[in-house]
């Protein structure tokens, strides 16, 4: 089963890390990535740019509006995600626990099973 692991944290905290602090976190996360990559279980990984670089397209009541910035006002922002191939939710949770241990900032990891969408499999 493929799982998406979404990484949330307080952007104002992670944005204030020194280069050395950020480099250490990236090295520690890379060690977790290598472990799962070497086992053939790691799919795409993305680190998102800050929410100040976000644009949101919102559709409501028949009108579409494009606004600068993220959609929601929240304490934690989505900072990145992983796609992992795990035998069970427990294995996906183990992966998220390892990411959490590698990251010194408080945050959360949301784990969701993925359904693959292949438009080519649907007739037009």
């Amino acid at each position: 089963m493929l799982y998406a692991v979404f990484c949330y944290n307080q952007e104002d905290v992670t944005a204030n890390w020194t280069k050395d602090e950020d480099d250490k976190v990236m090295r520690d996360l890379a060690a977790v990535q290598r472990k799962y990559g070497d086992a053939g279980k790691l799919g795409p990984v993305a680190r998102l740019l800050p929410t100040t670089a976000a644009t949101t397209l919102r559709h409501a009541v028949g009108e579409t509006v494009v606004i600068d910035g993220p959609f929601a006002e929240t304490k934690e922002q989505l900072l990145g995600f992983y796609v992992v191939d795990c035998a069970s939710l427990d294995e996906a949770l183990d992966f998220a626990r390892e990411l959490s241990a590698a990251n010194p900032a408080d945050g959360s990891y949301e784990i969701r099973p993925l359904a693959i969408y292949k438009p080519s499999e649907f007739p037009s």
Side-chain angles (χ1 to χ4, degrees):
M1 168 69 74
L2 291 177
Y3 290 89
V5 179
F6 298 102
C7 309
Y8 292 89
N9 213 312
Q10 291 184 23
E11 193 172 63
D12 58 339
V13 171
T14 60
N16 286 309
W17 286 342
T18 65
K19 182 174 179 348
D20 288 343
E21 289 170 322
D22 189 67
D23 288 349
K24 181 186 182 321
V25 171
M26 291 300 107
R27 276 192 309 275
D28 292 347
L29 292 172
V32 177
Q33 293 170 24
R34 265 191 306 281
K35 175 182 173 183
Y36 283 80
D38 290 348
K41 294 181 173 278
L42 185 64
V45 175
R47 185 178 191 187
L48 301 176
L49 292 177
T51 55
T52 54
T55 301
T56 299
L57 187 142
R58 182 179 178 104
H59 182 86
V61 193
E63 184 177 347
T64 301
V65 178
V66 176
I67 55 176
D68 291 334
F71 174 77
E73 295 287 329
T74 61
K75 280 185 112 175
E76 294 181 335
Q77 292 76 37
L78 176 63
L79 300 184
F81 65 88
Y82 295 82
V83 174
V84 290
D85 187 4
C86 297
S88 66
L89 175 59
D90 286 337
E91 185 180 2
L93 285 166
D94 288 342
F95 175 74
R97 283 184 187 98
E98 290 184 53
L99 294 176
S100 180
N103 190 337
D106 292 337
S108 58
Y109 296 84
E110 178 182 345
I111 297 92
R112 288 194 205 178
L114 284 179
I116 301 299
Y117 171 68
K118 296 182 181 176
S120 62
E121 294 180 3
F122 295 93
S124 22

